[in-house]
Amino acid sequence: MPGSRARSGFFSALAALAAANALSRPLHLALQDGDLWGAVSQGLALNPAVLSALLLGLGGLARGQDEPPLSDADLGFGLILLLLLLLPSATVSWLVLAVLAGYLCRDRQLSPAQQAGAAILLLCALREPLSSTVLDVFSVPLLALDARLAALLLSAWSPGAYAQGNLILQADEVRLVVLKGCSSLLNLSYALLFWYAASRTLYRRFPRSVWYAGLAVGGAVVALNVLRLVYMANSRAGYLLLHEGVGQYWLSSLSLLLVVGATCGGIWYAEQDRFGRAAALAIRPG
Amino acid sequence: MPSKTGLAVLLLLLFGPASLALKLQGGSAQLDEGPTLPAPVSALLVRSGLRPVGVLSPLNTPQYQIALYQPAQPAGCLAMLHVLPMSANGEAGALLRQPAVGRLGGQLFVLRGQLSGDFPSARHWWFGLLNQLRRLAGLAVRDNRVYAIASSAPCLDLRSLDWASLRP
């Protein structure tokens, strides 16, 4: 049945199901306490960057135009992925989403919006297994780099601070141990995912200002993370404020603001370059 | 015979709820990497003539706690044995070298009952990589804890303990 939306509908639903499978476990755990408001205020254990990328990717995938009907190959491929989704592993669900998105990325019959959606979903799905693998296997040098940067900055006003491995020390006393959750790489992967998802929704080839925005996003996230480590290493009160207290929400909000601001700034300048100020005020995905 | 669209909807309705239900019921494939020594390790130390004397928390995180043991023999040996369980990726690799823990003598690292003199070694990296692949495949990871052990005095010979009995 040419012209129907069955094919894009099937693949969009399959992608949404894979994403739901990948996110269901942390969501379930967040809601298990019974404190619904507390869970909602903490974002239901869902990262805003991942959520945005999924919404943009799925939205793009659903926008099919003059698509071919569902084929036997599509159904067979979908059935294999559905069988794989039965495995009780969130990582496998991300990989299923990645395989589906990769399959769709190679499909020349997709509309530009669908191709953008597939590319965003591919990156979103690969971020989780890739970042966790890289962090697990290369945690020693990656965490040491974070500790070294933070110690370098700390030593500017607190002489004698130095890094050894993933520890920040001062006068033979351990001031902070940098663990995987604090790594710049983890924060960077989320920030760049958001930047890519927002930019790819609008552009197939990124203009120069969008690339600059990506650099700004990366730099801001690493700088903010290093500043956080320095503040936590500097005093016990600083550690408690940023690690246990309300400070972590301020920092997350500031980080989100910087990432969204830099990404939108890059898009704004790209639109101004292309069409002038009036068009930049009326940006529409396409 | 249902149309292909109908078949697609049927497949999604059949597998969708089932896959979600299995995710919500499934347990974690991760090992508990808590700070305490597991029973086989503490039993080995006690069997080797050591007695637990406390726990040291030198860092700002409860994740890394050092178990302290003292030997009953030989008489007059005032050594202290420090044991730190950590994950094989070596987040805490430098910890035992810290003055906050005490200036200790030799250190050994035990991975699945096998001793090594340095950390992280190629074996630890390989083991961490294999575990990561198992995790990606949804399989339960193997015991990926590394025990960093250090003695504060030479009268307590670390190699004399039966570390090989930890091998699964």
PDB file of all heavy atoms in Angstrom, chain B residues 2-24:
ATOM      1  N   PRO B   2      -3.714 -12.229   7.735  1.00  0.00           N
ATOM      2  CA  PRO B   2      -3.653 -10.821   8.107  1.00  0.00           C
ATOM      3  C   PRO B   2      -2.718 -10.053   7.193  1.00  0.00           C
ATOM      4  O   PRO B   2      -1.791 -10.604   6.616  1.00  0.00           O
ATOM      5  CB  PRO B   2      -3.100 -10.850   9.530  1.00  0.00           C
ATOM      6  CG  PRO B   2      -2.357 -12.141   9.623  1.00  0.00           C
ATOM      7  CD  PRO B   2      -3.031 -13.081   8.687  1.00  0.00           C
ATOM      8  N   SER B   3      -2.983  -8.754   7.046  1.00  0.00           N
ATOM      9  CA  SER B   3      -2.091  -7.916   6.235  1.00  0.00           C
ATOM     10  C   SER B   3      -0.772  -7.732   6.979  1.00  0.00           C
ATOM     11  O   SER B   3      -0.663  -8.030   8.175  1.00  0.00           O
ATOM     12  CB  SER B   3      -2.740  -6.567   5.997  1.00  0.00           C
ATOM     13  OG  SER B   3      -2.783  -5.874   7.229  1.00  0.00           O
ATOM     14  N   LYS B   4       0.218  -7.220   6.270  1.00  0.00           N
ATOM     15  CA  LYS B   4       1.527  -7.013   6.911  1.00  0.00           C
ATOM     16  C   LYS B   4       1.433  -5.968   8.027  1.00  0.00           C
ATOM     17  O   LYS B   4       2.097  -6.087   9.041  1.00  0.00           O
ATOM     18  CB  LYS B   4       2.543  -6.589   5.854  1.00  0.00           C
ATOM     19  CG  LYS B   4       3.028  -7.768   5.053  1.00  0.00           C
ATOM     20  CD  LYS B   4       3.994  -7.355   3.998  1.00  0.00           C
ATOM     21  CE  LYS B   4       4.327  -8.571   3.142  1.00  0.00           C
ATOM     22  NZ  LYS B   4       4.767  -8.207   1.810  1.00  0.00           N
ATOM     23  N   THR B   5       0.607  -4.961   7.826  1.00  0.00           N
ATOM     24  CA  THR B   5       0.444  -3.951   8.881  1.00  0.00           C
ATOM     25  C   THR B   5      -0.161  -4.583  10.135  1.00  0.00           C
ATOM     26  O   THR B   5       0.286  -4.340  11.249  1.00  0.00           O
ATOM     27  CB  THR B   5      -0.470  -2.810   8.379  1.00  0.00           C
ATOM     28  OG1 THR B   5       0.055  -2.329   7.143  1.00  0.00           O
ATOM     29  CG2 THR B   5      -0.535  -1.684   9.370  1.00  0.00           C
ATOM     30  N   GLY B   6      -1.181  -5.422   9.902  1.00  0.00           N
ATOM     31  CA  GLY B   6      -1.803  -6.114  11.031  1.00  0.00           C
ATOM     32  C   GLY B   6      -0.812  -7.008  11.748  1.00  0.00           C
ATOM     33  O   GLY B   6      -0.793  -7.084  12.987  1.00  0.00           O
ATOM     34  N   LEU B   7       0.028  -7.671  10.954  1.00  0.00           N
ATOM     35  CA  LEU B   7       1.038  -8.560  11.536  1.00  0.00           C
ATOM     36  C   LEU B   7       2.055  -7.767  12.370  1.00  0.00           C
ATOM     37  O   LEU B   7       2.459  -8.195  13.464  1.00  0.00           O
ATOM     38  CB  LEU B   7       1.761  -9.295  10.399  1.00  0.00           C
ATOM     39  CG  LEU B   7       2.515 -10.560  10.772  1.00  0.00           C
ATOM     40  CD1 LEU B   7       1.616 -11.585  11.423  1.00  0.00           C
ATOM     41  CD2 LEU B   7       3.187 -11.158   9.535  1.00  0.00           C
ATOM     42  N   ALA B   8       2.418  -6.604  11.846  1.00  0.00           N
ATOM     43  CA  ALA B   8       3.373  -5.757  12.575  1.00  0.00           C
ATOM     44  C   ALA B   8       2.791  -5.311  13.908  1.00  0.00           C
ATOM     45  O   ALA B   8       3.468  -5.356  14.948  1.00  0.00           O
ATOM     46  CB  ALA B   8       3.728  -4.544  11.714  1.00  0.00           C
ATOM     47  N   VAL B   9       1.527  -4.909  13.887  1.00  0.00           N
ATOM     48  CA  VAL B   9       0.855  -4.472  15.124  1.00  0.00           C
ATOM     49  C   VAL B   9       0.775  -5.644  16.101  1.00  0.00           C
ATOM     50  O   VAL B   9       1.029  -5.503  17.314  1.00  0.00           O
ATOM     51  CB  VAL B   9      -0.554  -3.914  14.803  1.00  0.00           C
ATOM     52  CG1 VAL B   9      -1.332  -3.654  16.082  1.00  0.00           C
ATOM     53  CG2 VAL B   9      -0.437  -2.636  13.992  1.00  0.00           C
ATOM     54  N   LEU B  10       0.465  -6.815  15.562  1.00  0.00           N
ATOM     55  CA  LEU B  10       0.350  -8.015  16.406  1.00  0.00           C
ATOM     56  C   LEU B  10       1.684  -8.334  17.085  1.00  0.00           C
ATOM     57  O   LEU B  10       1.738  -8.625  18.291  1.00  0.00           O
ATOM     58  CB  LEU B  10      -0.097  -9.195  15.535  1.00  0.00           C
ATOM     59  CG  LEU B  10      -0.532 -10.452  16.282  1.00  0.00           C
ATOM     60  CD1 LEU B  10      -1.820 -10.197  17.045  1.00  0.00           C
ATOM     61  CD2 LEU B  10      -0.699 -11.619  15.322  1.00  0.00           C
ATOM     62  N   LEU B  11       2.753  -8.256  16.312  1.00  0.00           N
ATOM     63  CA  LEU B  11       4.088  -8.534  16.871  1.00  0.00           C
ATOM     64  C   LEU B  11       4.419  -7.560  17.992  1.00  0.00           C
ATOM     65  O   LEU B  11       4.925  -7.955  19.047  1.00  0.00           O
ATOM     66  CB  LEU B  11       5.158  -8.408  15.769  1.00  0.00           C
ATOM     67  CG  LEU B  11       5.264  -9.560  14.770  1.00  0.00           C
ATOM     68  CD1 LEU B  11       6.294  -9.229  13.697  1.00  0.00           C
ATOM     69  CD2 LEU B  11       5.658 -10.843  15.480  1.00  0.00           C
ATOM     70  N   LEU B  12       4.137  -6.279  17.745  1.00  0.00           N
ATOM     71  CA  LEU B  12       4.444  -5.264  18.768  1.00  0.00           C
ATOM     72  C   LEU B  12       3.615  -5.487  20.029  1.00  0.00           C
ATOM     73  O   LEU B  12       4.125  -5.361  21.146  1.00  0.00           O
ATOM     74  CB  LEU B  12       4.177  -3.861  18.209  1.00  0.00           C
ATOM     75  CG  LEU B  12       5.183  -3.358  17.170  1.00  0.00           C
ATOM     76  CD1 LEU B  12       4.665  -2.116  16.474  1.00  0.00           C
ATOM     77  CD2 LEU B  12       6.530  -3.067  17.828  1.00  0.00           C
ATOM     78  N   LEU B  13       2.355  -5.827  19.844  1.00  0.00           N
ATOM     79  CA  LEU B  13       1.484  -6.045  21.007  1.00  0.00           C
ATOM     80  C   LEU B  13       1.878  -7.304  21.766  1.00  0.00           C
ATOM     81  O   LEU B  13       1.731  -7.395  22.983  1.00  0.00           O
ATOM     82  CB  LEU B  13       0.019  -6.139  20.566  1.00  0.00           C
ATOM     83  CG  LEU B  13      -0.621  -4.825  20.115  1.00  0.00           C
ATOM     84  CD1 LEU B  13      -2.057  -5.068  19.651  1.00  0.00           C
ATOM     85  CD2 LEU B  13      -0.609  -3.805  21.244  1.00  0.00           C
ATOM     86  N   LEU B  14       2.408  -8.268  21.037  1.00  0.00           N
ATOM     87  CA  LEU B  14       2.788  -9.541  21.664  1.00  0.00           C
ATOM     88  C   LEU B  14       4.098  -9.402  22.438  1.00  0.00           C
ATOM     89  O   LEU B  14       4.206  -9.801  23.602  1.00  0.00           O
ATOM     90  CB  LEU B  14       2.932 -10.594  20.560  1.00  0.00           C
ATOM     91  CG  LEU B  14       2.882 -12.052  20.969  1.00  0.00           C
ATOM     92  CD1 LEU B  14       1.503 -12.392  21.488  1.00  0.00           C
ATOM     93  CD2 LEU B  14       3.225 -12.944  19.771  1.00  0.00           C
ATOM     94  N   PHE B  15       5.089  -8.814  21.792  1.00  0.00           N
ATOM     95  CA  PHE B  15       6.424  -8.777  22.377  1.00  0.00           C
ATOM     96  C   PHE B  15       6.656  -7.554  23.278  1.00  0.00           C
ATOM     97  O   PHE B  15       7.491  -7.612  24.173  1.00  0.00           O
ATOM     98  CB  PHE B  15       7.496  -8.794  21.279  1.00  0.00           C
ATOM     99  CG  PHE B  15       7.672 -10.138  20.643  1.00  0.00           C
ATOM    100  CD1 PHE B  15       7.004 -10.475  19.483  1.00  0.00           C
ATOM    101  CD2 PHE B  15       8.495 -11.097  21.230  1.00  0.00           C
ATOM    102  CE1 PHE B  15       7.167 -11.714  18.894  1.00  0.00           C
ATOM    103  CE2 PHE B  15       8.666 -12.339  20.646  1.00  0.00           C
ATOM    104  CZ  PHE B  15       7.994 -12.658  19.477  1.00  0.00           C
ATOM    105  N   GLY B  16       5.969  -6.459  23.004  1.00  0.00           N
ATOM    106  CA  GLY B  16       6.208  -5.223  23.764  1.00  0.00           C
ATOM    107  C   GLY B  16       5.991  -5.390  25.254  1.00  0.00           C
ATOM    108  O   GLY B  16       6.928  -5.235  26.048  1.00  0.00           O
ATOM    109  N   PRO B  17       4.767  -5.744  25.681  1.00  0.00           N
ATOM    110  CA  PRO B  17       4.527  -5.886  27.123  1.00  0.00           C
ATOM    111  C   PRO B  17       5.395  -6.979  27.741  1.00  0.00           C
ATOM    112  O   PRO B  17       5.864  -6.831  28.870  1.00  0.00           O
ATOM    113  CB  PRO B  17       3.037  -6.259  27.193  1.00  0.00           C
ATOM    114  CG  PRO B  17       2.463  -5.810  25.906  1.00  0.00           C
ATOM    115  CD  PRO B  17       3.538  -5.917  24.890  1.00  0.00           C
ATOM    116  N   ALA B  18       5.626  -8.070  26.986  1.00  0.00           N
ATOM    117  CA  ALA B  18       6.429  -9.171  27.543  1.00  0.00           C
ATOM    118  C   ALA B  18       7.862  -8.722  27.812  1.00  0.00           C
ATOM    119  O   ALA B  18       8.434  -9.033  28.865  1.00  0.00           O
ATOM    120  CB  ALA B  18       6.429 -10.347  26.566  1.00  0.00           C
ATOM    121  N   SER B  19       8.439  -7.986  26.861  1.00  0.00           N
ATOM    122  CA  SER B  19       9.835  -7.553  27.056  1.00  0.00           C
ATOM    123  C   SER B  19       9.941  -6.586  28.233  1.00  0.00           C
ATOM    124  O   SER B  19      10.874  -6.665  29.033  1.00  0.00           O
ATOM    125  CB  SER B  19      10.362  -6.902  25.774  1.00  0.00           C
ATOM    126  OG  SER B  19       9.639  -5.743  25.478  1.00  0.00           O
ATOM    127  N   LEU B  20       8.966  -5.690  28.358  1.00  0.00           N
ATOM    128  CA  LEU B  20       8.999  -4.735  29.479  1.00  0.00           C
ATOM    129  C   LEU B  20       8.830  -5.458  30.817  1.00  0.00           C
ATOM    130  O   LEU B  20       9.521  -5.150  31.789  1.00  0.00           O
ATOM    131  CB  LEU B  20       7.899  -3.688  29.301  1.00  0.00           C
ATOM    132  CG  LEU B  20       8.204  -2.602  28.269  1.00  0.00           C
ATOM    133  CD1 LEU B  20       6.954  -1.775  27.974  1.00  0.00           C
ATOM    134  CD2 LEU B  20       9.324  -1.698  28.740  1.00  0.00           C
ATOM    135  N   ALA B  21       7.930  -6.432  30.831  1.00  0.00           N
ATOM    136  CA  ALA B  21       7.702  -7.176  32.077  1.00  0.00           C
ATOM    137  C   ALA B  21       8.969  -7.929  32.500  1.00  0.00           C
ATOM    138  O   ALA B  21       9.329  -7.968  33.676  1.00  0.00           O
ATOM    139  CB  ALA B  21       6.545  -8.156  31.885  1.00  0.00           C
ATOM    140  N   LEU B  22       9.674  -8.495  31.518  1.00  0.00           N
ATOM    141  CA  LEU B  22      10.903  -9.223  31.844  1.00  0.00           C
ATOM    142  C   LEU B  22      11.985  -8.279  32.374  1.00  0.00           C
ATOM    143  O   LEU B  22      12.768  -8.648  33.242  1.00  0.00           O
ATOM    144  CB  LEU B  22      11.423  -9.966  30.614  1.00  0.00           C
ATOM    145  CG  LEU B  22      10.651 -11.240  30.261  1.00  0.00           C
ATOM    146  CD1 LEU B  22      11.049 -11.746  28.888  1.00  0.00           C
ATOM    147  CD2 LEU B  22      10.909 -12.313  31.314  1.00  0.00           C
ATOM    148  N   LYS B  23      12.031  -7.057  31.844  1.00  0.00           N
ATOM    149  CA  LYS B  23      13.021  -6.083  32.327  1.00  0.00           C
ATOM    150  C   LYS B  23      12.734  -5.719  33.784  1.00  0.00           C
ATOM    151  O   LYS B  23      13.646  -5.587  34.587  1.00  0.00           O
ATOM    152  CB  LYS B  23      12.970  -4.801  31.498  1.00  0.00           C
ATOM    153  CG  LYS B  23      13.427  -4.928  30.081  1.00  0.00           C
ATOM    154  CD  LYS B  23      14.897  -5.165  29.969  1.00  0.00           C
ATOM    155  CE  LYS B  23      15.277  -5.319  28.518  1.00  0.00           C
ATOM    156  NZ  LYS B  23      14.471  -6.313  27.785  1.00  0.00           N
ATOM    157  N   LEU B  24      11.460  -5.539  34.087  1.00  0.00           N
ATOM    158  CA  LEU B  24      11.122  -5.087  35.432  1.00  0.00           C
ATOM    159  C   LEU B  24      11.319  -6.197  36.463  1.00  0.00           C
ATOM    160  O   LEU B  24      11.575  -5.924  37.626  1.00  0.00           O
ATOM    161  CB  LEU B  24       9.674  -4.578  35.480  1.00  0.00           C
ATOM    162  CG  LEU B  24       9.431  -3.345  34.604  1.00  0.00           C
ATOM    163  CD1 LEU B  24       7.983  -2.898  34.697  1.00  0.00           C
ATOM    164  CD2 LEU B  24      10.347  -2.202  35.013  1.00  0.00           C
TER     165      LEU B  24
END
